[in-house]
Amino acid sequence: MIKRKRTKIIKIGNKKIGGNFPILVQSMTNTKTADAKATLSQIKKLEKAGCEIIRVGVPDLKSAEAVSKIKKKINVPLVADIHFSIDVALESIKQGADKIRINPGNFPKEGLKTIINLAKKKKIPIRIGINSGSLEKDILGKQRRVTPEMMVKSALRNVKLMENLGFYNLVISLKAPDVLRTVKAYEMLAEKVDYPLHLGITEAGGEFSGTIKSAVGMGVLLQKGIGDTIRVSLSADPAEEVRVGWEILKSLELRERGVKIVSCPTCARTSIDVVGLTKKIENITNQIKKPLRIAIMGCVVNGLGEGREADLAIVGAGKMALLMREGKIVTKVKEKNKIFEIFCRELKRMV
Ligand code: SF4
């Protein structure tokens, strides 16, 4: 079992992160926030996929004004992502954002004070979001490449800035687009602060490479007990980010949700259509919320063992296909093409 690093508990709308609270999965919309209808529709889809905190980009006042309209109709906390504009930050808070994400160093001190005072009044946290791509020029100096040390320096500087203004309701992120820099930066920061950490490999890439990078990077950190909320960042449908985020947490047994599929890679011993069955079973189970372990195994070599550990399993057994439920063989069929139908009936009974 992974021992999590204890961090300060921070409340974000109707959710809490840090301490012993579950690591929450978040995502970000890619609609124009000012178009409240389109943004709402995307958030609804993301909520359904399992998104637990949603962030929206707020580039202007029109977008900030849409925040309250959106908030009224969603169930998850809304985070407003703001850069440079004090007015937009203030308006987003006034409109009911549950948290804002800023780079404090991008604001003049007086403006930052105003934002902090309003955040304090509304009891909302602020995420200090450090990205390697937008590091302060004085830290970067003449270097072309940002180092983890530079990112941590920037984060600590911003934390200090906020603390000196009497603000401690903080979450921190420290993202780079590659695994090693990001991991190193978070490891170093986790030693120095006890604020909750929002994990992510930023701009990780497309669905395939971004998923792998995110899983590797966040996996390493989460396994060390670092991280209180995660955002997978993909150049793809945000619903995919949520799906990947959940799979990362499920694979480390940090959270449970829905179906966990165990399926073999197939080989010369395979006696059922494992690939086709797995695809079909993934499709019909991706909306199930109840935690279930399902195994699809090509033969009895490992099939019976995996079937024993699964809630429901299909196992190829020479001329037959077996259906196992809670570790026991409940059906043996010679017409192997009927096994999917039988499986579906049993699944329906279970959920
Ligand atoms: Fe091959 Fe059987 Fe292993 Fe599947 S479970 S990969 S069919 S040996």
Side-chain angles (χ1 to χ4, degrees):
M1 194 167 151
I2 293 172
K3 193 168 178 287
R4 284 178 60 200
K5 183 183 179 288
R6 277 296 168 91
T7 49
K8 193 175 163 176
I9 296 167
I10 297 286
K11 189 172 178 293
I12 307 163
N14 57 8
K15 299 263 169 45
K16 284 180 182 159
I17 59 166
N20 232 356
F21 283 93
I23 298 168
L24 299 184
V25 174
Q26 51 178 295
S27 184
M28 186 169 183
T29 53
N30 56 12
T31 51
K32 299 278 178 218
T33 306
D35 184 347
K37 204 171 155 207
T39 306
L40 245 172
S41 141
Q42 188 170 60
I43 295 176
K44 286 285 162 201
K45 278 189 205 140
L46 294 173
E47 277 184 356
K48 213 165 160 196
C51 177
E52 298 174 299
I53 298 178
I54 189 69
R55 179 157 52 114
V56 300
V58 188
D60 48 32
L61 277 173
K62 241 179 140 189
S63 307
E65 281 156 17
V67 165
S68 61
K69 275 189 226 151
I70 299 166
K71 262 228 43 160
K72 262 184 229 153
K73 297 200 172 144
I74 61 173
N75 303 307
V76 292
L78 182 144
V79 183
D81 190 284
I82 299 138
H83 290 281
F84 311 116
S85 169
I86 300 163
D87 290 343
V88 171
L90 293 174
E91 191 57 32
S92 301
I93 303 175
K94 283 181 201 156
Q95 294 282 335
D98 297 301
K99 177 173 122 189
I100 60 166
R101 177 266 163 127
I102 58 170
N103 261 334
N106 286 344
F107 294 91
K109 203 164 174 187
E110 278 315 303
L112 188 60
K113 261 194 208 166
T114 336
I115 297 171
I116 283 178
N117 285 340
L118 192 58
K120 270 190 194 166
K121 200 170 148 203
K122 299 273 186 186
K123 296 192 171 69
I124 67 158
I126 294 178
R127 167 156 71 94
I128 298 174
I130 306 299
N131 271 23
S132 60
S134 52
L135 206 75
E136 295 100 312
K137 287 200 174 61
D138 68 304
I139 294 182
L140 187 61
K142 291 211 162 64
Q143 305 295 318
R144 275 185 67 198
R145 191 170 162 84
V146 172
T147 62
E149 288 76 10
M150 290 176 189
M151 291 162 68
V152 173
K153 190 173 175 185
S154 167
L156 292 176
R157 173 198 279 184
N158 282 293
V159 167
K160 192 121 198 118
L161 183 63
M162 300 294 270
E163 288 180 341
N164 286 344
L165 292 168
F167 196 84
Y168 303 90
N169 198 5
L170 294 170
V171 178
I172 311 169
S173 65
L174 207 54
K175 303 181 187 177
D178 47 86
V179 170
L180 294 179
R181 264 192 301 176
T182 308
V183 167
K184 180 92 179 128
Y186 274 106
E187 281 174 342
M188 287 165 66
L189 187 70
E191 297 266 302
K192 297 191 187 312
V193 297
D194 67 352
Y195 291 114
L197 299 181
H198 160 128
L199 299 189
I201 309 291
T202 194
E203 301 130 16
E207 206 167 306
F208 177 70
S209 57
T211 296
I212 293 171
K213 268 198 221 171
S214 302
V216 173
M218 290 195 226
V220 169
L221 289 164
L222 290 165
Q223 196 276 335
K224 291 182 174 171
I226 298 171
D228 300 280
T229 174
I230 64 169
R231 191 254 167 136
V232 173
S233 151
L234 301 176
S235 308
D237 180 347
E240 196 51 33
E241 299 185 350
V242 176
R243 228 162 66 88
V244 174
W246 271 104
E247 282 305 314
I248 293 173
L249 295 180
K250 276 161 61 181
S251 69
L252 290 165
E253 292 175 16
L254 285 161
R255 298 283 308 272
E256 274 200 345
R257 185 181 196 268
V259 169
K260 217 183 219 178
I261 303 253
V262 175
S263 63
C264 81
T266 74
C267 73
R269 292 187 191 87
T270 310
S271 65
I272 53 169
D273 176 19
V274 172
V275 177
L277 281 166
T278 304
K279 218 176 247 170
K280 283 202 263 182
I281 291 172
E282 274 181 342
N283 279 340
I284 60 162
T285 56
N286 64 13
Q287 297 294 333
I288 295 176
K289 289 198 183 120
K290 181 175 171 175
L292 272 184
R293 188 180 174 99
I294 292 175
I296 306 122
M297 303 293 290
C299 80
V300 292
V301 173
N302 295 318
L304 295 179
E306 290 300 345
R308 202 167 43 236
E309 290 190 17
D311 296 296
L312 204 53
I314 296 177
V315 181
K319 291 201 166 79
M320 283 190 292
L322 313 177
L323 184 81
M324 295 179 73
R325 190 187 61 218
E326 285 151 3
K328 294 200 172 64
I329 299 169
V330 288
T331 313
K332 295 179 182 179
V333 284
K334 282 202 179 123
E335 301 93 334
K336 293 187 205 166
N337 57 345
K338 295 232 170 93
I339 195 71
F340 180 66
E341 205 183 306
I342 299 168
F343 171 91
C344 290
R345 271 206 303 272
E346 203 54 49
L347 179 70
K348 211 168 167 191
R349 231 175 280 161
M350 288 183 101
V351 297

